[in-house]
Amino acid sequence: MGLGGCIILIAAGAILTFATDWDMEGVNLDLVGIILMIVGLIGVTTFSSIARRRRVVVPPSTPVVGDEPHHHRRDGYSDGYGV
């Protein structure tokens, strides 16, 4: 679930808790709304901690001394084929 889904859960929970006056037998809509808001908040905190961890920049490693890249010229003359 992404950040958008968590925000939708928070909004739906707030609507059920604060903006409705429905009465359903056997279901407490205020409690359902509070549960949805709590789950949404847990999701937002989890998502933000994972996103923060993902943005950590690791400095590049230092090159090994003596490890030089090999540059081969392929111009047809220096490799013995053009002689």
Side-chain angles (χ1 to χ4, degrees), residues 35-66:
I35 290 171
L36 286 177
M37 286 190 288
I38 290 172
V39 169
L41 287 173
I42 290 171
V44 166
T45 56
T46 304
F47 182 80
S48 65
S49 68
I50 290 172
R52 186 179 317 125
R53 226 180 285 154
R54 206 180 294 167
R55 291 185 191 147
V56 173
V57 177
V58 177
S61 63
T62 57
V64 178
V65 176

Side-chain angles (χ1 to χ4, degrees), residues 1 10 12 14-15 19 21-22 26-27 29 34 36 42 47 49-50 54 56 60 63 69 72 74 79:
M1 172 172 30
I10 294 171
I15 289 170
D21 59 353
W22 300 331
V27 177
L29 289 179
I34 290 172
L36 286 177
I42 290 171
F47 182 80
S49 68
I50 290 172
R54 206 180 294 167
V56 173
H72 297 290
R74 301 289 296 195
D79 57 358

